[in-house]
Amino acid sequence: MPDDDIIRLSLDGSHTVTSKIFNENYHSLNGAIQESNIVFIEAGLNYLLPSYKSINVFEMGFGTGLNALLAYIWGQKHKINTTYHTIEAYPLERKIYHKLNYPDILGHRDVFYQLHDHNWDSELMVSPTFKFKKIHAEIENFNTNHSYDVIFFDAFSPTIQPKLWDVPLLQKMFNLLSDGGILVSYCAQGAFKRHLKACGFSIEVLKGPPGKREMTRAVKNKY
């Protein structure tokens, strides 16, 4: 598949990318930015906003960098100190992410390229209130002493990466969260929700972005 062919224009005018490895899109063709805003910003960060002065984010799948850019913009808007950690086993090539039109739509071109071009496994102060680190590893091999307030669970679909949606990995996600923390995902598959419940999450089924009837927010209850 030629490199230029893996970039797709979604219905809201923003790009998505088809993975050459998994043959699946990183974002919805119904609207990439729209989907990320609904699933990760509105259902995730906005949900925590009233009671958090600082937020620790873990993103499962750095991918195109769109979610990280949106989180940066959100943090600047709300003046929230944000620590953003993201993991990626299969980074996009530079010649691909430099063609993506997110900075044309959202601004912050320098920030977007910083997020991508900065060294892996090294902390970056993008701004005085936004601390960023991306980890080049498979999630199964990832260990940390950090705890997080929200997990953006943005792996490829359960049919493509089934192990990432099963109980052992989701239990790892549960353990990464602080009490009262949340996991948000575009997926609302029945097996996924049952596995989350088996790990100890409480499940909220929310209206999904265009093209998806439902999405999931899972809460690690305080005891």
Side-chain angles (χ1 to χ4, degrees):
M1 184 184 296
D3 288 336
D4 289 348
D5 289 346
I6 70 172
I7 297 175
R8 303 278 187 261
L9 197 64
S10 70
L11 291 179
D12 68 359
S14 61
H15 282 143
T16 186
V17 175
T18 303
S19 168
K20 292 187 289 185
I21 298 170
F22 298 106
N23 195 30
E24 185 167 270
N25 295 323
Y26 281 83
H27 306 286
S28 172
L29 285 171
N30 289 290
I33 289 177
Q34 189 171 223
E35 177 189 47
S36 287
N37 267 321
I38 290 171
V39 175
F40 302 111
I41 305 305
E42 294 177 14
L45 294 178
N46 283 351
Y47 175 84
L48 298 176
L49 184 59
S51 53
Y52 286 75
K53 293 182 179 178
S54 63
I55 288 180
N56 296 325
V57 180
F58 182 78
E59 180 190 25
M60 176 59 210
F62 177 60
T64 66
L66 173 58
N67 296 336
L69 180 61
L70 289 171
Y72 167 80
I73 294 168
W74 179 90
Q76 302 306 294
K77 175 183 176 181
H78 294 287
K79 297 179 172 59
I80 298 289
N81 289 319
T82 307
T83 298
Y84 195 101
H85 291 173
T86 178
I87 191 165
E88 179 60 59
Y90 308 100
L92 282 181
E93 296 173 276
R94 191 175 192 272
K95 60 185 175 182
I96 297 300
Y97 64 73
H98 268 262
K99 294 178 182 177
L100 298 177
N101 67 0
Y102 308 139
D104 300 328
I105 298 169
L106 299 169
H108 306 283
R109 184 176 303 277
D110 290 347
V111 170
F112 182 68
Y113 293 143
Q114 266 190 299
L115 299 176
H116 275 285
D117 292 335
H118 186 70
N119 293 335
W120 292 89
D121 306 300
S122 173
E123 195 167 80
L124 171 67
M125 289 300 300
V126 180
S127 77
T129 59
F130 194 85
K131 189 186 301 183
F132 175 79
K133 184 178 181 180
K134 57 183 182 180
I135 300 106
H136 188 194
E138 294 182 336
I139 186 63
E140 297 91 335
N141 301 322
F142 173 68
N143 294 292
T144 182
N145 293 322
H146 287 277
S147 60
Y148 301 95
D149 304 305
V150 57
I151 291 174
F152 294 175
F153 200 79
D154 201 17
F156 287 112
S157 68
T159 56
I160 299 294
Q161 292 185 301
K163 288 184 179 179
L164 301 188
W165 302 82
D166 210 344
V167 170
L169 194 283
L170 296 177
Q171 189 67 61
K172 189 170 191 172
M173 297 296 101
F174 183 89
N175 295 339
L176 285 177
L177 283 171
S178 306
D179 289 346
I182 60 171
L183 178 152
V184 284
S185 175
Y186 64 87
C187 181
Q189 187 189 79
F192 174 52
K193 291 182 285 188
R194 289 192 295 273
H195 293 160
L196 288 169
K197 288 180 181 178
C199 295
F201 284 105
S202 296
I203 305 303
E204 297 179 66
V205 179
L206 308 175
K207 183 180 178 181
K212 293 193 70 67
R213 188 166 58 89
E214 296 175 338
M215 59 161 287
T216 302
R217 181 165 60 214
V219 182
K220 181 176 181 178
N221 293 323
K222 297 179 181 179
Y223 294 103

